[in-house]
Amino acid sequence: YIHSDRTYAYIGARGFARPQDYNSRMLLLIDGQRTNDAIYDMAYVGSEQLIDLDLVDRIEVVRGPGSSVYGGNALFGVINVITRTAQQIDGLEVAASYASFDTVYGSATYGKRLDNGAEVVASLSGMDSKGPDLYFPEFDAPESNFGRTSGTAFDRNSRFYVRLSQEGLSLTAAASQRQNGNPAALYGVLFDDPSNRQSDSQAYVNLNYTRQVAADSELSARLYWGDYSYRSHSDYAAEASDDPPVRNRDGAQGNWWGSEVKLVTAWSARNKLVSGIEYQSNYRQKQWTYDENPYQSYLDDLRNSQRGGVFAQNDFQWTEAVKVSLGARYDKVGTAAGEISPRLGLVFRSSEQTLWKLLYGSAFRPGNVYEKFYTYPEQQIANSQLQPETLKTWEAGVEHYLGKQTRVAATAYYYNMEHLIEQVTDPETGLLQYRNVGDVKAQGLELEGEHQWDNGARLRLSLDLPRTQNAQGEQLSNSPRTVGKLLGSLPLPWMRLRLGAEGQWLSSRKTDAGTSVPSYGVVNLTLLRPMANKSWQLSASVFNLFDEKFTDPAAPDLGVPSRDRFEQDGRTFRVKAVYRF
């Protein structure tokens, strides 16, 4: 599930989504390449995401701990975004859309397989949105426009992507830039001030080579470079009402390079071994914050760090019905002690239609440089003594096919997190600080079902029932007890049209202030005229069809101490056209 503070979008999984976490417990890959940055360890999934969704072929999500292969940050899942191939694009595509809040979008994508076997994919895109007019009850006073703001929720982004490949060798480069406003006046900035804004930019270059070194072995190696920068322009009220605002500049810069070598080999008819080694050097991890006039620096911190890991995983087909998977990874991150992340899986096929699974895995997340070293005047202090948090998960599941067109599945899970890194109030200073605050225990049940009809109609349903508890036995904040989803698609008898419907429902969630936000459900509809060969694809979408009013819990903010929630958008729309030459 997703929650938002109107600056970023954050991911929750299995009942766990801390309001102050920057998506550092989910690992985001693009075609297998790690994209979490070297400052916040954040997986960017909102309008600041690195890849345009028009470039995406599919998104693979592996729930549960993934550190046995991928190392740190893969606590609750690994998301792998698979981009479209040159053959899938096969020419030039241009797209344009218009949506609520005067949101305009345009893109151009080219993909082609050349006569010599080389493949080229390239894309440019951009978006500009005025953003909604909003009301914040915590600012409902005459001096702050009675809590109403306009023109401060703007959002603009641009993206670039290119991939060249031939005979196992590929070179990929991608970059994005997003600038948006601060309509919620986070951290106590002046309310209803359009000059308050922040920008995020990302870039990476990835050189990858894959070669069949033997009939049963494949070797792959990658060399990569990454860049992330954050800039914030914030105006604060001066001590004297007649003085101009205090202009604060806050920022971060992360640069890294790394390499990975992986060998996949079937060393016997029953065994498949995946092994590898990875190294990453974060050669610049810089954070700063200062007031412009008069100049006063509060933070100017420059660091570097390294992480490395070795891993191996063997899949053993014990019998025709039983498969065993055993793996582990050893990681060394910075000056912290080494971490060992084992994984064990047992799969039993009791019939052609039924599959049973037992899984155990562990994962870890070290404190990042933001959590350990960032300070902000009258808001936050550093904690260089943070220890890594660890997660152990046990799962049992069954998957059953009721014929070729119907599948049902159920998974029961239990996990225990130790040394949870949480932002809390320091009792001595009264300021926020990241600390290891204790353990979290959770259990849950995931239910899924899907069916496809002969006419091409499809229906998918899922229900997640998590129960989370902190060290005091209390339910975690921002943790729903029920998450339900529906996804349906139906071909219509006119003009090859297809109607898609999506439903999402979350039960109530506690806030860090001790209150709760109510449960809600939203329905999204899309009418699509698919593309046939080289022609038009047209679509029209309505999001939050029934204009449901709902809110997400807010993280503690000493600049706005009375706030406990953020209201989200009501009904919105989008129309889009794509043409392929």
Side-chain angles (χ1 to χ4, degrees):
Y1 59 100
I2 300 293
H3 64 105
S4 170
D5 61 4
R6 294 203 165 271
T7 302
Y8 298 100
Y10 307 99
I11 306 172
R14 292 184 166 175
F16 192 99
R18 308 308 299 130
Q20 65 275 72
D21 172 41
Y22 286 113
N23 282 349
S24 59
R25 297 178 176 94
M26 299 288 289
L27 185 63
L28 178 63
L29 313 176
I30 297 178
D31 293 325
Q33 173 62 48
R34 169 191 284 258
T35 64
N36 293 53
D37 70 73
I39 301 293
Y40 309 99
D41 282 336
M42 185 167 180
Y44 296 90
V45 297
S47 63
E48 72 281 358
Q49 62 191 284
L50 183 56
I51 292 294
D52 191 324
L53 283 178
D54 279 357
L55 264 177
V56 175
D57 174 43
R58 66 188 186 277
I59 300 175
E60 300 172 347
V61 180
V62 180
R63 289 168 291 188
S67 288
S68 63
V69 174
Y70 296 101
N73 304 107
L75 270 74
F76 289 97
V78 178
I79 303 171
N80 191 16
V81 178
I82 309 297
T83 57
R84 298 164 67 191
T85 65
Q87 296 97 313
Q88 289 173 318
I89 302 168
D90 192 29
L92 176 65
E93 284 183 6
V94 293
S97 70
Y98 180 79
S100 298
F101 317 128
D102 288 334
T103 302
V104 294
Y105 160 86
S107 70
T109 303
Y110 177 78
K112 202 71 176 178
R113 181 180 177 87
L114 307 181
D115 294 339
N116 62 0
E119 297 184 6
V120 180
V121 175
S123 176
L124 283 171
S125 67
M127 183 272 287
D128 191 310
S129 177
K130 176 185 175 183
D133 297 340
L134 299 168
Y135 169 69
F136 293 91
E138 58 269 28
F139 292 105
D140 195 344
E143 63 272 17
S144 52
N145 198 28
F146 297 97
R148 302 193 179 278
T149 180
S150 177
T152 61
F154 61 88
D155 198 342
R156 310 179 186 108
N157 66 44
S158 57
R159 298 186 180 94
F160 162 79
Y161 178 90
V162 63
R163 182 177 71 245
L164 309 173
S165 57
Q166 186 175 25
E167 295 181 354
L169 181 66
S170 67
L171 176 65
T172 305
S176 70
Q177 194 275 338
R178 192 278 297 258
Q179 183 181 88
N180 66 320
N182 183 1
L186 298 172
Y187 315 118
V189 303
L190 288 174
F191 180 72
D192 196 27
D193 184 350
S195 64
N196 292 319
R197 64 193 185 275
Q198 54 268 333
S199 65
D200 298 87
S201 64
Q202 305 173 73
Y204 81 87
V205 178
N206 180 29
L207 180 64
N208 189 82
Y209 181 66
T210 302
R211 181 179 178 180
Q212 198 78 25
V213 294
D216 56 2
S217 300
E218 181 182 86
L219 180 69
S220 62
R222 74 169 77 231
L223 181 67
Y224 59 89
W225 171 88
D227 171 271
Y228 170 77
S229 69
Y230 167 78
R231 303 289 188 274
S232 172
H233 295 240
S234 302
D235 288 354
Y236 292 86
E239 292 185 6
S241 58
D242 295 337
D243 290 343
V246 177
R247 298 186 180 277
N248 179 267
R249 301 296 179 254
D250 190 77
Q253 180 71 44
N255 294 100
W256 60 94
W257 70 269
S259 61
E260 180 189 48
V261 178
K262 183 169 64 176
L263 177 66
V264 180
T265 181
W267 56 281
S268 77
R270 292 177 175 267
N271 287 275
K272 180 180 179 181
L273 178 67
V274 179
S275 59
I277 183 170
E278 182 183 11
Y279 172 80
Q280 179 173 311
S281 171
N282 304 310
Y283 62 88
R284 182 181 293 112
Q285 295 171 302
K286 184 174 176 61
Q287 299 179 89
W288 65 88
T289 182
Y290 62 90
D291 291 340
E292 273 193 340
N293 189 19
Y295 176 81
Q296 183 174 355
S297 176
Y298 303 102
L299 174 69
D300 188 3
D301 188 76
L302 176 62
R303 300 183 183 272
N304 62 78
S305 63
Q306 298 79 38
R307 65 175 185 87
V310 293
F311 61 92
Q313 179 171 302
N314 186 72
D315 293 330
F316 173 49
Q317 194 70 47
W318 193 2
T319 68
E320 291 296 324
V322 179
K323 184 177 182 179
V324 180
S325 179
L326 180 63
R329 173 167 171 145
Y330 174 80
D331 282 276
K332 186 73 168 63
V333 180
T335 58
E339 296 282 348
I340 299 178
S341 305
R343 181 184 185 275
L344 174 64
L346 177 64
V347 179
F348 171 61
R349 183 177 292 278
S350 59
S351 69
E352 287 295 322
Q353 294 80 29
T354 307
L355 201 66
W356 302 82
K357 299 179 181 180
L358 288 174
L359 302 172
Y360 167 79
S362 69
F364 75 100
R365 183 181 79 88
N368 52 56
V369 293
Y370 168 73
E371 294 168 331
K372 296 172 72 173
F373 304 112
Y374 184 78
T375 63
Y376 197 89
E378 300 180 4
Q379 280 271 347
Q380 184 174 328
I381 56 176
N383 182 4
S384 61
Q385 304 304 311
L386 274 181
Q387 299 300 309
E389 57 187 17
T390 58
L391 181 79
K392 295 179 174 62
T393 301
W394 293 261
E395 298 181 35
V398 59
E399 186 175 18
H400 181 71
Y401 285 84
L402 301 168
K404 294 182 178 180
Q405 296 173 293
T406 306
R407 181 185 72 92
V408 294
T411 300
Y413 60 84
Y414 171 84
Y415 63 79
N416 181 28
M417 177 182 286
E418 297 179 341
H419 311 299
L420 169 67
I421 298 174
E422 182 98 328
Q423 194 177 51
V424 297
T425 302
D426 176 51
E428 295 183 3
T429 65
L431 301 182
L432 298 175
Q433 184 183 50
Y434 284 94
R435 292 187 173 186
N436 297 103
V437 297
D439 299 349
V440 171
K441 298 185 187 317
Q443 58 274 336
L445 180 65
E446 296 170 336
L447 305 173
E448 302 176 47
E450 61 179 314
H451 180 78
Q452 180 166 329
W453 285 265
D454 293 335
N455 66 351
R458 298 191 297 268
L459 178 65
R460 297 176 64 186
L461 301 166
S462 70
L463 187 66
D464 189 9
L465 305 170
R467 297 291 184 270
T468 61
Q469 288 184 333
N470 60 19
Q472 292 73 41
E474 303 166 335
Q475 180 185 357
L476 291 182
S477 60
N478 200 23
S479 177
R481 290 186 176 271
T482 307
V483 181
K485 295 185 180 181
L486 173 150
L487 186 66
S489 178
L490 175 69
L492 301 179
W494 316 283
M495 301 173 58
R496 298 183 293 109
L497 293 175
R498 179 175 284 270
L499 180 65
E502 178 189 31
Q504 301 179 16
W505 190 80
L506 263 70
S507 63
S508 61
R509 290 164 288 165
K510 290 175 56 179
T511 71
D512 284 342
T515 58
S516 64
V517 300
S519 60
Y520 74 90
V522 296
V523 175
N524 307 320
L525 291 181
T526 293
L527 186 64
L528 173 70
R529 181 184 181 273
M531 183 181 295
N533 297 321
K534 297 186 176 181
S535 64
W536 290 97
Q537 175 178 287
L538 304 173
S539 65
S541 301
V542 180
F543 306 99
N544 196 353
L545 176 66
F546 301 109
D547 200 23
E548 178 83 0
K549 307 300 182 185
F550 67 100
T551 56
D552 286 331
D557 186 344
L558 297 184
V560 195
S562 62
R563 175 161 52 210
D564 67 345
R565 67 195 64 199
F566 294 101
E567 185 174 342
Q568 303 303 313
D569 291 337
R571 184 188 300 114
T572 59
F573 76 91
R574 183 189 65 194
V575 291
K576 184 176 181 180
V578 182
Y579 187 78
R580 178 182 295 169
F581 295 90

